[in-house]
C-alpha cells in the first residue's frame, strides 16, 4: 500500500507524510531529499545544476545513506533541487529508486511533487497539500530562523514563488494534483489539525485496501 503526498514547497506535506507513516507503521521517503542530494553532489563536484549531464552524473552516484545529511537542508540546496529536478534524465535516473521504496512491505508513504501522477499512479491514497505562498514563506522563514541568520522573509517568498513556477512549468512531471488526489489546504491549519484532516481522507482508503 502506498500513500502519495504531493504538494508545494513548505506546505507541510513532509510533516504530514511522516506522521501518516508513523500512524500506519509504513516506511517513509522524502523524495525531495533525493533531488537535494543530487544538487549537493553537483555542488560538491563543482559543477553546474543547470547542466543536465552534470546533474545526471550526480544522480547516478547518489548515496541514499546521506538523506539525513543537514547539508541538503540549506536554502541553496532547495533551489538546486528545483533546478536539477527539471532535467528529464535526472527524473528517469531516480524513478526506479522511488518505485523500489514504494514496494516495501507493509506499505510506504512518499512525499514529493509527482508521486501520485508519475511515481505511483496507482497509489492507495493520494493527497495534494497546498497553502498560500505567503503562509508557506513564513513557515520556511521560521525554519531557517531556527537555524540562525535567516534571509529576509521577502526573499524567502520570492524563492517560494520562483520554485512554484519552475515546478509547475517543467516539461516532465510538472507539479499538479493527480486527478484522483484530494486537495488539503493547510493555510489555516496547525500541524495536528492538518494531520487530523489528512487522516480522515486517507484512513478509509487504507481500510478498504486491507
Amino acid at each position: 500500500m502506498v500513500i502519495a503526498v504531493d504538494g508545494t514547497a513548505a506546505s507541510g506535506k513532509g510533516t504530514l507524510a511522516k506522521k501518516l507513516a508513523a500512524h500506519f507503521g509504513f516506511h517513509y521517503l522524502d523524495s525531495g531529499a533525493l533531488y537535494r542530494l543530487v544538487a549537493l553532489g553537483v555542488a560538491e563536484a563543482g559543477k553546474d545544476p543547470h547542466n543536465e549531464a552534470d546533474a545526471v552524473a550526480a544522480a547516478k552516484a547518489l548515496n541514499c545513506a546521506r538523506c539525513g545529511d543537514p547539508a541538503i537542508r540549506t536554502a541553496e540546496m532547495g533551489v538546486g533541487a528545483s533546478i536539477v529536478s527539471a532535467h528529464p534524465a535526472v527524473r528517469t535516473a531516480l524513478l526506479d529508486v522511488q518505485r523500489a521504496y514504494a514496494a516495501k512491505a507493509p506499505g510506504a508513504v512518499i512525499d514529493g511533487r509527482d508521486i501520485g501522477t508519475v511515481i505511483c499512479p496507482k497509489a492507495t491514497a493520494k493527497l495534494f497539500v497546498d497553502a498560500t505562498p505567503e503562509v508557506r514563506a513564513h513557515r520556511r522563514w521560521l525554519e531557517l530562523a531556527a537555524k540562525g541568520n535567516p534571509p529576509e522573509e521577502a526573499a524567502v517568498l520570492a524563492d517560494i514563488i520562483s520554485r512554484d513556477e519552475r515546478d509547475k512549468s517543467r516539461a516532465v512531471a510538472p507539479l499538479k494534483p493527480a486527478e484522483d488526489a484530494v486537495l488539503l489546504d493547510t493555510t489555516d491549519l496547525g500541524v495536528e489539525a492538518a494531520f487530523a484532516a489528512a487522516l480522515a481522507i486517507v484512513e478509509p482508503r487504507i481500510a478498504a485496501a486491507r
Side-chain angles (χ1 to χ4, degrees), residues 11 16 127-131 182-187 189 193-195 197-199 201:
S11 59
L16 287 177
L127 290 174
F128 190 88
V129 188
D130 201 3
V182 179
L183 176 64
L184 177 56
D185 189 329
T186 64
T187 299
L189 300 178
F195 175 61
L199 198 57
I201 296 166

Side-chain angles (χ1 to χ4, degrees), residues 6-9 13 112-115 117 163 167 170 174-176:
D6 289 311
T8 52
K13 65 183 182 297
R113 286 168 172 75
D114 66 342
I115 308 305
T117 54
R163 289 184 66 185
D167 292 342
R170 64 183 176 228
L175 171 65
K176 63 179 181 180

Side-chain angles (χ1 to χ4, degrees), residues 29-30 33-34 37 62-70 72-73:
L29 175 65
D30 169 11
L34 302 180
L37 273 176
L62 196 73
N63 178 6
C64 292
R66 295 188 69 186
C67 277
D69 191 331
I72 71 171
R73 293 300 168 188

Side-chain angles (χ1 to χ4, degrees), residues 32-111:
L34 302 180
Y35 291 98
R36 284 173 175 265
L37 273 176
V38 172
L40 180 62
V42 172
E44 289 180 340
K47 301 294 185 178
D48 181 5
H50 291 93
N51 183 289
E52 187 167 36
D54 291 343
V56 170
K60 290 182 176 178
L62 196 73
N63 178 6
C64 292
R66 295 188 69 186
C67 277
D69 191 331
I72 71 171
R73 293 300 168 188
T74 65
E76 291 77 12
M77 289 306 107
V79 172
S82 184
I83 294 169
V84 300
S85 68
H87 298 308
V90 171
R91 304 197 75 85
T92 298
L94 298 182
L95 187 63
D96 289 343
V97 175
Q98 295 172 81
R99 286 185 173 166
Y101 205 93
K104 287 188 173 186
V109 182
I110 307 178
D111 77 68

Side-chain angles (χ1 to χ4, degrees), residues 122-146:
K122 295 183 179 179
T124 314
K126 299 179 185 180
L127 290 174
F128 190 88
V129 188
D130 201 3
T132 65
E134 292 76 15
V135 166
R136 291 187 285 124
H138 185 62
R139 290 172 180 167
R140 181 55 50 82
W141 182 85
L142 288 174
E143 290 177 7
L144 296 171

